[in-house]
Coordinates of all heavy atoms in Angstrom, one line a residue:
K1 N -105.5 52.8 -40.0 CA -104.8 52.3 -41.0 C -103.9 51.1 -40.8 O -103.8 50.2 -41.5 CB -104.1 53.5 -41.7 CG -103.4 53.2 -43.0 CD -102.6 54.3 -43.6 CE -101.8 53.9 -44.8 NZ -101.2 55.0 -45.3
E2 N -103.2 51.3 -39.7 CA -102.2 50.2 -39.3 C -102.2 49.8 -37.9 O -102.3 50.6 -37.1 CB -100.8 50.7 -39.7 CG -99.8 49.6 -39.4 CD -98.3 50.1 -39.8 OE1 -98.2 50.7 -40.9 OE2 -97.4 50.0 -38.9
I3 N -102.2 48.5 -37.5 CA -102.2 48.1 -36.3 C -100.9 47.5 -35.9 O -100.4 46.7 -36.7 CB -103.3 47.0 -35.9 CG1 -104.7 47.5 -36.3 CG2 -103.2 46.5 -34.5 CD1 -105.2 48.7 -35.6
T4 N -100.2 47.9 -34.8 CA -98.8 47.5 -34.4 C -98.9 47.0 -33.0 O -99.4 47.6 -32.2 CB -97.9 48.6 -34.5 OG1 -97.9 49.1 -35.8 CG2 -96.4 48.1 -34.4
A5 N -98.4 45.8 -32.6 CA -98.3 45.2 -31.3 C -97.4 46.2 -30.5 O -96.3 46.6 -31.0 CB -97.7 43.8 -31.4
S6 N -97.8 46.5 -29.2 CA -97.1 47.4 -28.4 C -95.8 46.7 -27.9 O -95.7 45.5 -27.9 CB -98.0 47.8 -27.3 OG -98.3 46.7 -26.4
K7 N -94.9 47.6 -27.5 CA -93.8 47.0 -26.7 C -93.5 48.0 -25.5 O -94.1 49.1 -25.6 CB -92.5 47.0 -27.6 CG -92.1 48.3 -28.2 CD -90.9 47.9 -29.3 CE -90.4 49.2 -29.9 NZ -91.3 49.9 -30.8
F8 N -92.7 47.5 -24.6 CA -92.6 48.3 -23.3 C -92.0 49.7 -23.8 O -91.2 49.8 -24.6 CB -91.6 47.6 -22.4 CG -91.4 48.4 -21.1 CD1 -92.5 48.4 -20.1 CD2 -90.3 49.2 -20.9 CE1 -92.4 49.1 -18.9 CE2 -90.2 49.9 -19.7 CZ -91.2 49.9 -18.8
G9 N -92.5 50.8 -23.3 CA -92.1 52.1 -23.6 C -92.9 52.8 -24.6 O -92.9 54.0 -24.8
D10 N -93.8 52.1 -25.4 CA -94.7 52.6 -26.3 C -95.9 53.3 -25.6 O -96.2 53.1 -24.5 CB -95.3 51.6 -27.2 CG -94.4 51.0 -28.2 OD1 -93.2 51.7 -28.4 OD2 -94.6 50.1 -28.8
R11 N -96.6 54.3 -26.3 CA -97.8 54.9 -25.8 C -99.0 54.0 -26.5 O -99.1 54.2 -27.7 CB -97.9 56.2 -26.1 CG -99.2 56.9 -25.8 CD -99.6 57.1 -24.4 NE -100.8 57.9 -24.4 CZ -101.5 58.1 -23.4 NH1 -101.0 57.7 -22.2 NH2 -102.5 58.7 -23.5
A12 N -99.5 53.2 -25.8 CA -100.7 52.5 -26.4 C -101.9 53.4 -26.5 O -102.1 54.2 -25.7 CB -101.2 51.3 -25.5
L13 N -102.7 53.2 -27.6 CA -103.9 54.1 -27.9 C -105.1 53.3 -27.7 O -106.3 53.8 -27.7 CB -103.7 54.6 -29.3 CG -102.5 55.5 -29.6 CD1 -102.5 55.9 -30.9 CD2 -102.5 56.7 -28.6
G14 N -105.1 51.9 -27.6 CA -106.3 51.2 -27.5 C -105.9 49.7 -27.4 O -104.8 49.4 -27.1
A15 N -106.9 48.8 -27.5 CA -106.7 47.4 -27.4 C -107.5 46.7 -28.6 O -108.6 47.1 -28.9 CB -107.1 46.9 -26.1
V16 N -106.9 45.6 -29.2 CA -107.6 44.9 -30.1 C -108.9 44.3 -29.5 O -108.8 43.8 -28.5 CB -106.8 43.8 -30.8 CG1 -107.6 42.9 -31.7 CG2 -105.7 44.4 -31.6
S17 N -110.0 44.4 -30.2 CA -111.3 44.0 -29.6 C -111.8 42.7 -30.4 O -112.0 42.6 -31.5 CB -112.4 45.1 -29.8 OG -113.6 44.7 -29.4
A18 N -112.1 41.6 -29.6 CA -112.6 40.4 -30.1 C -114.1 40.4 -30.4 O -114.6 39.6 -31.1 CB -112.1 39.3 -29.2
N19 N -114.8 41.3 -29.7 CA -116.3 41.4 -29.8 C -116.6 42.8 -29.7 O -117.2 43.2 -28.8 CB -116.8 40.6 -28.6 CG -118.3 40.4 -28.6 OD1 -118.8 40.6 -29.7 ND2 -118.9 40.1 -27.6
P20 N -116.4 43.6 -30.8 CA -116.7 45.0 -30.8 C -118.2 45.2 -30.9 O -119.0 44.6 -31.5 CB -116.1 45.4 -32.1 CG -116.0 44.3 -33.0 CD -115.8 43.1 -32.0
A21 N -118.6 46.2 -30.2 CA -120.0 46.8 -30.3 C -120.3 47.5 -31.5 O -121.4 47.5 -32.1 CB -120.3 47.6 -29.0
Y22 N -119.4 48.3 -32.0 CA -119.5 49.1 -33.2 C -118.3 48.8 -34.1 O -117.0 48.8 -33.7 CB -119.5 50.6 -32.9 CG -119.5 51.5 -34.1 CD1 -120.7 51.5 -34.8 CD2 -118.4 52.2 -34.5 CE1 -120.8 52.3 -36.0 CE2 -118.6 52.9 -35.7 CZ -119.7 53.0 -36.4 OH -119.8 53.9 -37.6
M23 N -118.5 48.5 -35.3 CA -117.5 48.0 -36.2 C -117.2 49.1 -37.3 O -117.8 49.0 -38.4 CB -117.8 46.7 -36.9 CG -117.8 45.7 -35.8 SD -118.2 43.9 -36.5 CE -120.0 44.1 -36.8
M24 N -116.5 50.1 -37.0 CA -116.1 51.2 -38.0 C -115.3 50.6 -39.0 O -114.4 49.8 -38.7 CB -115.4 52.3 -37.3 CG -115.0 53.5 -38.2 SD -114.0 54.7 -37.4 CE -115.0 55.3 -36.0
N25 N -115.5 50.8 -40.3 CA -114.8 50.5 -41.4 C -114.9 48.9 -41.6 O -114.0 48.3 -41.9 CB -113.2 50.8 -41.3 CG -113.1 52.2 -41.4 OD1 -113.8 53.0 -42.0 ND2 -112.0 52.7 -40.6
A26 N -116.1 48.3 -41.3 CA -116.3 46.9 -41.4 C -116.1 46.4 -42.7 O -115.8 45.2 -42.9 CB -117.7 46.7 -40.9
D27 N -116.2 47.2 -43.7 CA -115.9 46.8 -45.1 C -114.3 46.6 -45.5 O -114.2 46.2 -46.5 CB -116.7 47.5 -46.1 CG -118.2 47.5 -45.9 OD1 -118.7 46.5 -45.4 OD2 -118.9 48.5 -46.3
L28 N -113.6 47.0 -44.6 CA -112.1 47.0 -44.9 C -111.6 45.7 -44.9 O -111.7 44.9 -44.0 CB -111.4 47.8 -43.9 CG -109.8 48.0 -44.0 CD1 -109.5 48.9 -45.2 CD2 -109.3 48.7 -42.8
P29 N -111.1 45.1 -46.0 CA -110.4 43.8 -46.0 C -109.4 43.5 -45.0 O -108.5 44.3 -45.1 CB -110.1 43.6 -47.5 CG -110.5 44.8 -48.2 CD -110.9 45.9 -47.2
G30 N -109.5 42.5 -44.3 CA -108.4 42.2 -43.2 C -108.3 43.3 -42.2 O -107.4 43.3 -41.5
G31 N -109.3 44.0 -42.0 CA -109.3 45.0 -40.9 C -109.3 44.4 -39.6 O -109.7 43.4 -39.3
T32 N -108.7 45.1 -38.6 CA -108.7 44.7 -37.2 C -109.4 45.7 -36.4 O -109.3 47.0 -36.6 CB -107.3 44.7 -36.7 OG1 -106.5 43.7 -37.5 CG2 -107.2 44.2 -35.2
F33 N -110.3 45.3 -35.5 CA -111.3 46.2 -34.8 C -110.4 46.5 -33.5 O -109.9 45.7 -32.8 CB -112.6 45.5 -34.5 CG -113.3 45.3 -35.7 CD1 -113.6 44.0 -36.0 CD2 -113.8 46.2 -36.4 CE1 -114.4 43.7 -37.2 CE2 -114.6 46.0 -37.6 CZ -114.7 44.8 -38.0
V34 N -110.5 47.9 -33.1 CA -109.7 48.3 -32.1 C -110.7 49.0 -31.2 O -111.4 49.9 -31.6 CB -108.5 49.2 -32.4 CG1 -107.8 49.8 -31.3 CG2 -107.5 48.4 -33.4
A35 N -110.6 48.8 -29.8 CA -111.4 49.6 -28.8 C -110.6 50.8 -28.4 O -109.3 50.6 -28.1 CB -111.7 48.7 -27.6
L36 N -111.0 51.9 -28.8 CA -110.4 53.2 -28.3 C -110.7 53.7 -27.0 O -110.1 54.6 -26.4 CB -110.5 54.2 -29.4 CG -110.1 53.8 -30.8 CD1 -110.4 54.8 -32.0 CD2 -108.6 53.5 -30.8
K37 N -111.9 53.2 -26.5 CA -112.4 53.8 -25.3 C -113.4 52.9 -24.6 O -114.2 52.2 -25.5 CB -113.1 55.2 -25.5 CG -113.2 56.1 -24.3 CD -113.4 57.6 -24.8 CE -113.3 58.4 -23.7 NZ -111.9 58.7 -23.2
G38 N -113.5 52.8 -23.4 CA -114.6 52.0 -22.8 C -114.1 50.7 -22.1 O -112.9 50.5 -21.9
R39 N -115.0 49.9 -21.7 CA -114.8 48.7 -20.9 C -114.5 47.5 -21.8 O -115.3 47.2 -22.6 CB -116.0 48.4 -20.0 CG -115.8 47.3 -19.0 CD -117.0 47.2 -18.3 NE -116.9 46.2 -17.1 CZ -117.3 46.4 -16.0 NH1 -118.0 47.5 -15.6 NH2 -117.1 45.4 -15.0
V40 N -113.1 46.9 -21.7 CA -112.7 46.0 -22.6 C -111.8 44.9 -22.0 O -111.0 45.4 -21.2 CB -112.0 46.6 -23.9 CG1 -111.4 45.7 -24.8 CG2 -112.7 47.7 -24.5
P41 N -111.9 43.7 -22.4 CA -110.9 42.7 -21.9 C -109.6 43.1 -22.5 O -109.5 43.3 -23.7 CB -111.4 41.4 -22.4 CG -112.9 41.6 -22.8 CD -113.0 43.0 -23.1
V42 N -108.5 43.1 -21.8 CA -107.1 43.4 -22.4 C -106.2 42.4 -21.9 O -106.2 42.0 -20.8 CB -106.6 44.9 -21.7 CG1 -105.2 45.2 -22.2 CG2 -107.6 45.9 -22.1
K43 N -105.3 42.0 -22.9 CA -104.3 41.0 -22.5 C -103.2 41.7 -21.6 O -102.6 42.8 -21.9 CB -103.5 40.5 -23.8 CG -104.4 39.5 -24.6 CD -103.5 39.0 -25.7 CE -104.4 37.9 -26.5 NZ -103.6 37.4 -27.7
V44 N -103.0 41.2 -20.5 CA -102.1 41.7 -19.5 C -101.0 40.8 -19.0 O -101.4 39.4 -19.0 CB -102.9 42.1 -18.2 CG1 -102.0 42.7 -17.2 CG2 -103.8 43.2 -18.6
T45 N -99.8 41.2 -19.0 CA -98.8 40.4 -18.5 C -98.4 40.8 -17.1 O -98.3 42.0 -16.7 CB -97.4 40.5 -19.4 OG1 -97.7 40.3 -20.7 CG2 -96.2 39.7 -18.8
G46 N -98.3 39.7 -16.1 CA -98.0 40.0 -14.8 C -99.2 40.2 -13.9 O -100.3 40.3 -14.3
K47 N -98.9 40.4 -12.6 CA -100.0 40.6 -11.6 C -100.5 42.0 -11.7 O -99.9 43.0 -12.2 CB -99.5 40.4 -10.2 CG -98.8 39.1 -9.8 CD -98.4 39.0 -8.5 CE -97.8 37.6 -8.1 NZ -97.4 37.5 -6.6
V48 N -101.8 42.0 -11.4 CA -102.5 43.4 -11.6 C -103.5 43.5 -10.4 O -104.2 42.6 -10.1 CB -103.1 43.7 -12.9 CG1 -104.1 42.6 -13.3 CG2 -103.6 45.0 -13.1
K49 N -103.7 44.7 -9.8 CA -104.7 44.9 -8.8 C -105.7 45.9 -9.4 O -105.4 46.8 -10.2 CB -104.1 45.5 -7.6 CG -103.2 44.5 -6.8 CD -102.6 45.1 -5.6 CE -101.6 44.1 -4.9 NZ -101.0 44.8 -3.8
K50 N -106.9 45.7 -9.0 CA -108.1 46.5 -9.4 C -107.7 48.0 -9.1 O -107.2 48.3 -8.1 CB -109.3 46.1 -8.6 CG -110.5 46.9 -9.0 CD -111.7 46.4 -8.2 CE -113.0 47.1 -8.6 NZ -114.2 46.8 -8.1
G51 N -107.9 48.8 -10.1 CA -107.6 50.2 -10.0 C -106.2 50.7 -10.4 O -105.8 51.9 -10.6
Q52 N -105.4 49.6 -10.6 CA -104.0 50.0 -11.1 C -104.2 50.6 -12.6 O -104.9 50.1 -13.3 CB -103.1 48.8 -11.1 CG -102.4 48.5 -9.8 CD -101.4 47.5 -9.8 OE1 -101.6 46.3 -10.3 NE2 -100.2 47.8 -9.4
R53 N -103.1 51.4 -12.8 CA -103.1 52.0 -14.2 C -102.2 51.1 -15.1 O -101.2 50.5 -14.7 CB -102.4 53.4 -14.1 CG -103.3 54.5 -13.4 CD -102.6 55.7 -13.1 NE -103.5 56.7 -12.6 CZ -104.1 56.8 -11.4 NH1 -103.8 55.9 -10.5 NH2 -104.8 57.8 -11.0
M54 N -102.7 50.9 -16.3 CA -102.1 50.0 -17.3 C -101.2 50.8 -18.3 O -101.6 51.9 -18.8 CB -103.2 49.2 -18.0 CG -104.0 48.5 -17.1 SD -103.2 47.5 -15.8 CE -102.5 46.2 -16.8
I55 N -100.1 50.2 -18.6 CA -99.3 50.8 -19.7 C -98.9 49.7 -20.7 O -99.0 48.4 -20.4 CB -97.9 51.4 -19.1 CG1 -97.1 50.3 -18.4 CG2 -98.2 52.6 -18.2 CD1 -95.7 50.8 -17.9
A56 N -98.3 50.1 -21.8 CA -97.9 49.1 -22.9 C -96.8 48.2 -22.3 O -95.9 48.7 -21.6 CB -97.4 49.8 -24.3
S57 N -96.8 47.0 -22.6 CA -95.8 45.9 -22.3 C -95.3 45.3 -23.6 O -95.7 45.8 -24.7 CB -96.4 44.8 -21.5 OG -95.2 44.0 -21.0
N58 N -94.6 44.3 -23.6 CA -94.1 43.7 -24.8 C -95.1 42.6 -25.4 O -96.1 42.2 -24.7 CB -92.8 42.9 -24.5 CG -91.7 44.0 -24.2 OD1 -91.7 45.0 -24.9 ND2 -90.8 43.6 -23.3
N59 N -95.0 42.4 -26.6 CA -95.8 41.4 -27.5 C -97.2 41.9 -27.3 O -98.1 41.0 -27.5 CB -95.6 40.0 -26.7 CG -94.2 39.5 -26.8 OD1 -93.5 39.6 -27.7 ND2 -93.8 38.9 -25.7
G60 N -97.5 43.1 -27.5 CA -98.9 43.6 -27.7 C -99.7 43.5 -26.4 O -101.0 43.4 -26.5
T61 N -99.2 43.3 -25.3 CA -99.9 43.2 -24.0 C -99.7 44.5 -23.2 O -99.0 45.4 -23.6 CB -99.4 42.0 -23.2 OG1 -98.0 42.2 -22.7 CG2 -99.6 40.7 -24.0
A62 N -100.5 44.5 -22.1 CA -100.3 45.7 -21.2 C -99.7 45.2 -19.9 O -99.6 43.9 -19.6 CB -101.7 46.3 -20.9
Q63 N -99.3 46.1 -19.0 CA -98.8 45.7 -17.6 C -99.2 46.8 -16.7 O -99.4 47.9 -17.2 CB -97.3 45.3 -17.7 CG -96.4 46.6 -17.8 CD -95.1 46.2 -17.7 OE1 -94.5 45.4 -18.3 NE2 -94.2 47.2 -17.1
A64 N -99.2 46.5 -15.4 CA -99.5 47.5 -14.4 C -98.2 48.5 -14.4 O -97.1 48.1 -14.5 CB -99.7 47.0 -13.0
G65 N -98.6 49.7 -14.4 CA -97.5 50.7 -14.5 C -97.5 51.7 -13.2 O -98.4 51.5 -12.4
P66 N -96.5 52.5 -13.0 CA -96.4 53.4 -12.0 C -97.5 54.4 -12.1 O -98.0 54.8 -13.1 CB -95.1 54.1 -12.1 CG -94.7 53.9 -13.5 CD -95.4 52.6 -14.0
D67 N -98.0 54.9 -10.9 CA -99.1 55.9 -10.8 C -98.8 57.1 -11.6 O -99.9 57.7 -12.2 CB -99.3 56.2 -9.4 CG -100.1 55.2 -8.6 OD1 -100.6 54.2 -9.3 OD2 -100.0 55.1 -7.4
Q68 N -97.7 57.5 -11.7 CA -97.4 58.9 -12.5 C -96.9 58.7 -13.8 O -96.4 59.6 -14.4 CB -96.3 59.7 -11.6 CG -96.6 59.8 -10.1 CD -97.9 60.5 -10.0 OE1 -98.2 61.5 -10.7 NE2 -98.8 60.2 -9.0
S69 N -97.0 57.6 -14.4 CA -96.5 57.3 -15.9 C -97.4 58.2 -16.8 O -98.6 58.1 -16.7 CB -96.7 55.8 -16.0 OG -96.3 55.6 -17.5
P70 N -96.8 58.9 -17.8 CA -97.6 59.6 -18.7 C -98.0 58.6 -19.8 O -98.9 59.1 -20.7 CB -96.5 60.6 -19.2 CG -95.2 59.8 -19.1 CD -95.3 58.9 -17.8
D71 N -97.7 57.3 -19.9 CA -98.1 56.4 -20.8 C -99.3 55.5 -20.4 O -99.6 54.5 -21.1 CB -96.9 55.6 -21.3 CG -95.7 56.3 -21.9 OD1 -96.2 57.3 -22.6 OD2 -94.6 56.0 -21.6
V72 N -100.0 55.9 -19.5 CA -101.3 55.1 -19.0 C -102.3 55.3 -20.0 O -102.6 56.4 -20.6 CB -101.7 55.7 -17.7 CG1 -103.2 55.1 -17.3 CG2 -100.8 55.4 -16.6
F73 N -102.9 54.1 -20.5 CA -103.9 54.1 -21.4 C -105.3 53.4 -20.9 O -106.3 53.6 -21.6 CB -103.5 53.4 -22.8 CG -103.4 52.0 -22.8 CD1 -104.6 51.1 -23.2 CD2 -102.4 51.3 -22.2 CE1 -104.5 49.8 -23.1 CE2 -102.4 49.9 -22.2 CZ -103.4 49.1 -22.6
A74 N -105.1 52.8 -19.7 CA -106.2 52.1 -19.2 C -106.1 52.0 -17.7 O -105.1 52.2 -17.1 CB -106.5 50.8 -19.9
I75 N -107.2 51.6 -17.0 CA -107.3 51.3 -15.6 C -107.9 49.8 -15.4 O -109.0 49.5 -16.1 CB -108.1 52.3 -14.9 CG1 -107.4 53.7 -15.0 CG2 -108.2 51.9 -13.3 CD1 -108.2 54.8 -14.4
A76 N -107.2 49.0 -14.6 CA -107.7 47.6 -14.4 C -109.1 47.7 -13.6 O -109.1 48.5 -12.5 CB -106.7 46.9 -13.7
L77 N -110.0 47.0 -14.0 CA -111.3 46.8 -13.4 C -111.4 45.7 -12.3 O -112.5 45.4 -11.7 CB -112.5 47.0 -14.2 CG -112.6 48.2 -15.1 CD1 -113.7 48.2 -16.0 CD2 -112.8 49.5 -14.0
E78 N -110.3 44.8 -12.5 CA -110.4 43.6 -11.7 C -108.8 43.3 -11.4 O -107.9 43.7 -12.0 CB -111.1 42.5 -12.5 CG -110.4 42.1 -13.7 CD -111.2 41.0 -14.5 OE1 -111.9 40.3 -13.8 OE2 -110.9 40.8 -15.6
S79 N -108.7 42.4 -10.3 CA -107.5 41.9 -9.9 C -107.1 40.5 -10.4 O -108.0 39.8 -10.6 CB -107.4 42.0 -8.4 OG -107.5 43.1 -7.8
N80 N -105.8 40.2 -10.6 CA -105.4 38.9 -11.1 C -104.0 38.7 -10.6 O -103.2 39.5 -10.9 CB -105.6 38.7 -12.6 CG -105.4 37.4 -13.1 OD1 -104.6 36.6 -12.8 ND2 -106.4 37.0 -13.8
E81 N -103.8 37.6 -9.9 CA -102.5 37.3 -9.3 C -101.6 36.5 -10.2 O -100.5 36.2 -9.9 CB -102.6 36.6 -8.0 CG -103.2 37.5 -6.9 CD -102.4 38.6 -6.6 OE1 -101.1 38.4 -6.3 OE2 -102.9 39.7 -6.3
E82 N -102.1 36.0 -11.4 CA -101.3 35.2 -12.3 C -100.1 36.0 -12.9 O -100.4 37.3 -13.2 CB -102.3 34.7 -13.5 CG -103.2 33.6 -13.0 CD -104.1 33.2 -14.2 OE1 -103.5 33.0 -15.4 OE2 -105.3 33.1 -14.1
I83 N -99.0 35.4 -13.1 CA -97.8 36.1 -13.6 C -97.8 36.1 -15.2 O -97.5 37.1 -15.8 CB -96.6 35.4 -13.1 CG1 -96.4 35.7 -11.6 CG2 -95.3 36.0 -13.8 CD1 -95.4 35.0 -10.9
G84 N -98.4 35.1 -15.8 CA -98.4 35.0 -17.3 C -99.3 36.0 -17.9 O -100.0 36.9 -17.3
V85 N -99.7 35.8 -19.2 CA -100.6 36.6 -20.0 C -102.0 36.0 -19.8 O -102.2 34.9 -19.8 CB -100.2 36.5 -21.4 CG1 -101.2 37.2 -22.4 CG2 -98.7 37.0 -21.7
K86 N -103.0 37.0 -19.6 CA -104.3 36.6 -19.3 C -105.1 37.9 -19.7 O -104.7 38.9 -19.9 CB -104.6 36.3 -17.9 CG -104.5 37.3 -16.9 CD -103.2 37.6 -16.4 CE -102.8 38.5 -15.5 NZ -101.4 38.6 -15.2
L87 N -106.5 37.6 -19.8 CA -107.3 38.8 -20.0 C -107.8 39.4 -18.8 O -108.3 38.6 -17.9 CB -108.5 38.3 -20.9 CG -108.3 37.9 -22.3 CD1 -109.6 37.4 -23.0 CD2 -107.9 39.2 -23.1
V88 N -107.8 40.7 -18.8 CA -108.2 41.5 -17.6 C -109.2 42.6 -18.0 O -108.8 43.4 -19.0 CB -107.0 42.1 -16.8 CG1 -107.5 43.0 -15.7 CG2 -106.1 41.0 -16.3
E89 N -110.2 42.7 -17.4 CA -111.3 43.7 -17.8 C -110.6 45.0 -17.4 O -110.3 45.4 -16.3 CB -112.5 43.5 -17.0 CG -113.7 44.4 -17.5 CD -114.4 43.8 -18.8 OE1 -114.2 42.6 -19.1 OE2 -115.1 44.6 -19.3
C90 N -110.6 46.0 -18.4 CA -110.1 47.3 -18.2 C -110.9 48.3 -18.7 O -111.8 48.1 -19.7 CB -108.7 47.4 -18.8 SG -107.4 46.4 -18.1
L91 N -110.7 49.6 -18.2 CA -111.4 50.8 -18.8 C -110.3 51.6 -19.6 O -109.3 52.1 -19.1 CB -111.9 51.7 -17.7 CG -112.6 53.0 -18.1 CD1 -113.8 52.6 -19.0 CD2 -113.0 53.8 -16.9
I92 N -110.5 51.6 -20.9 CA -109.6 52.4 -21.8 C -110.0 53.8 -21.6 O -111.2 54.1 -21.9 CB -109.6 51.8 -23.2 CG1 -109.1 50.4 -23.2 CG2 -108.7 52.7 -24.1 CD1 -109.1 49.7 -24.6
L93 N -109.0 54.7 -21.4 CA -109.3 56.1 -21.2 C -109.4 56.8 -22.4 O -108.7 56.7 -23.5 CB -108.2 56.6 -20.3 CG -108.0 55.9 -19.0 CD1 -106.9 56.4 -18.2 CD2 -109.3 56.1 -18.2

């Protein structure tokens, strides 16, 4: 029903999908497609290593989180040393 950009401390439930395989509610005017599970490019802030767990960050992005965080929603499938915002292939849990 409603899509809200994440902020640090939120529990993310998925990621906005630019190229969805299945478009549930495709007839919804102004609808936003969200990936709830699977392999998806995710906007990530900061460095990330393959296998790190991802948590919500600010401005609707994700960031690498601590291993024991209860707010993990995805796992990075690739590494990236850039500090800024970029797309990282992740597996949404």
Side-chain angles (χ1 to χ4, degrees):
K1 181 176 177 180
E2 180 180 315
I3 304 298
T4 305
S6 65
K7 59 185 184 300
F8 185 77
D10 288 347
R11 167 73 174 174
L13 299 176
V16 172
S17 178
N19 190 16
Y22 177 72
M23 297 180 281
M24 183 186 294
N25 298 326
D27 297 331
L28 182 67
T32 302
F33 299 114
V34 177
L36 300 174
K37 201 158 193 71
R39 188 178 184 139
V40 180
V42 174
K43 282 187 181 178
V44 174
T45 301
K47 296 180 181 181
V48 61
K49 292 182 182 174
K50 182 178 180 178
Q52 278 189 304
R53 290 166 170 82
M54 307 306 294
I55 61 171
S57 187
N58 292 321
N59 301 318
T61 65
Q63 71 179 44
D67 287 341
Q68 303 303 320
S69 175
D71 296 327
V72 170
F73 77 98
I75 297 175
L77 296 176
E78 61 183 343
S79 297
N80 192 306
E81 294 294 316
E82 292 178 39
I83 295 173
V85 177
K86 69 282 186 181
L87 289 176
V88 174
E89 191 81 13
C90 293
L91 178 66
I92 297 181
L93 305 172

